[in-house]
Amino acid sequence: AVEAAGDVDVLLLDKTGTITEGKPVVTNLIWETSSEEDKKILYTLEMQSEHPLAEAVVNRLKEEKISSLPIEKFESLTARGVKAIVNNVTYRVGNIKLMAENRISVSESLTSMANQFQEEAKTVVYFSNQSTVLALIAIADNIKPTSRAAIQSLHNKGIEVYMLTGDNEQTAKAVAQQVGLKHYKAEVLPSEKADFVKKLQVEGKVVAMVGDGINDSHALAQ
C-alpha cells in the first residue's frame, strides 16, 4: 500500500471531517410554527440519530432545556434522515430529498432561506410532520484552515483531487470554491462513492481515498 501510494494520481476526499472540521454547529433554527411539543419531538428524534448533524441539533436544543418524550417506530433512512411516530403522527428530520419523496410541502419563505444558507456553505436540515415542514435548521461546519493549502499542494504535484459528499449541490459547490476544488460530486450515496472509485480504477487511475465516516467504508475498501 505504501509503495502504491507513490503512484497515486487521483485523490478522493470526503467533505465532513476531512475538508471540514467535522464539528457541526447550528447557526439558524427557524420555526414555521413553534410549539413546545414540536421542539420536544425534534429533540427526541435527533437524540436517537447517530449522525453528527443530529448531535449539533441536540446540543442547540439542550440550551433551551428541552426534554424528550416517548416515540415509536424510529427509523434511520440512509442518506436521507430519520423518521418516527408520535401520537399516531409521522415526523421526519432530514434533507430535501426526504421531504420531496414524501410530498411534504415547504413554504416559499423557508425555501428562499434554505437557498441562502446553502450558498453560505451551510447544510440545511428540515423537520416535518406528515404534510408540512415545521422547521428549517442551518448547520455550519467550518473548513479546516489547512485544507486549501493541502489541496493546492496536491494539485502542484499533478494529482487530481475530487470531493465526494452526500450533501446537496449548492453547499458542495460553495465548499469546493472555498478550497479551490474544480472537481466534486454532491448527493452521493455510500455505494456510489465506491462505484466512482471503481470507474476511475477501470480508467487506469491509481486512486487514494480519505474519509472518516462509516459511510466512506465501502469506498475505502475498494
Side-chain angles (χ1 to χ4, degrees), residues 126-185:
Y126 300 81
F127 168 52
S128 78
N129 58 20
Q130 286 170 176
S131 59
T132 311
V133 168
L134 304 172
L136 186 72
I137 307 149
I139 300 172
D141 184 8
N142 292 334
I143 291 166
K144 289 178 185 173
T146 50
S147 290
R148 190 179 177 90
I151 288 163
Q152 185 58 52
S153 166
L154 291 157
H155 284 157
N156 293 346
K157 289 181 172 74
I159 295 170
E160 270 186 273
V161 186
Y162 285 79
M163 177 179 77
L164 304 183
T165 178
D167 216 330
N168 68 82
E169 173 68 27
Q170 270 175 294
T171 303
K173 184 179 179 182
V175 170
Q177 283 174 340
Q178 286 180 38
V179 295
L181 271 178
K182 291 198 240 7
H183 307 295
Y184 68 90
K185 285 183 170 296

Side-chain angles (χ1 to χ4, degrees), residues 7-196:
D7 299 323
V8 165
D9 47 19
V10 180
L11 180 67
L12 308 181
L13 301 175
D14 170 48
K15 176 174 77 70
T16 305
T18 302
I19 292 175
T20 66
E21 290 178 343
K23 296 173 186 165
V25 175
V26 172
T27 57
N28 310 81
L29 175 50
I30 295 154
W31 291 91
E32 269 300 73
T33 53
S34 168
S35 70
E36 203 63 19
E37 179 86 348
D38 289 340
K39 286 182 181 178
K40 285 180 180 178
I41 294 166
L42 174 60
Y43 179 71
T44 309
L45 260 72
E46 293 291 69
M47 282 275 289
Q48 303 286 321
S49 173
E50 292 169 354
H51 200 283
L53 296 182
E55 194 182 334
V57 178
V58 168
N59 290 340
R60 170 63 179 265
L61 289 170
K62 268 183 184 168
E63 293 170 10
E64 298 184 38
K65 306 281 191 287
I66 301 295
S67 58
S68 59
L69 42 70
I71 59 171
E72 298 165 39
K73 295 184 179 171
F74 176 85
E75 197 180 335
S76 184
L77 310 159
T78 303
R80 280 161 178 75
V82 297
K83 71 172 185 176
I85 295 170
V86 183
N87 299 329
N88 299 320
V89 177
T90 301
Y91 290 88
R92 293 177 176 87
V93 187
N95 56 21
I96 193 66
K97 196 177 276 185
L98 180 64
M99 301 299 123
E101 284 170 356
N102 293 282
R103 299 200 175 103
I104 289 158
S105 70
V106 191
S107 71
E108 274 184 36
S109 64
L110 286 187
T111 301
S112 166
M113 283 181 201
N115 289 332
Q116 183 190 321
F117 292 141
Q118 285 164 355
E119 280 167 16
E120 294 167 4
K122 293 175 183 175
T123 301
V124 173
V125 176
Y126 300 81
F127 168 52
S128 78
N129 58 20
Q130 286 170 176
S131 59
T132 311
V133 168
L134 304 172
L136 186 72
I137 307 149
I139 300 172
D141 184 8
N142 292 334
I143 291 166
K144 289 178 185 173
T146 50
S147 290
R148 190 179 177 90
I151 288 163
Q152 185 58 52
S153 166
L154 291 157
H155 284 157
N156 293 346
K157 289 181 172 74
I159 295 170
E160 270 186 273
V161 186
Y162 285 79
M163 177 179 77
L164 304 183
T165 178
D167 216 330
N168 68 82
E169 173 68 27
Q170 270 175 294
T171 303
K173 184 179 179 182
V175 170
Q177 283 174 340
Q178 286 180 38
V179 295
L181 271 178
K182 291 198 240 7
H183 307 295
Y184 68 90
K185 285 183 170 296
E187 296 177 30
V188 187
L189 297 171
S191 61
E192 290 170 342
K193 286 187 180 184
D195 289 342
F196 186 61

Side-chain angles (χ1 to χ4, degrees), residues 197-210:
V197 176
K198 277 185 206 166
K199 175 180 169 289
L200 292 168
Q201 288 169 335
V202 168
E203 290 170 11
K205 304 284 190 188
V206 180
V207 184
M209 165 98 192
V210 184

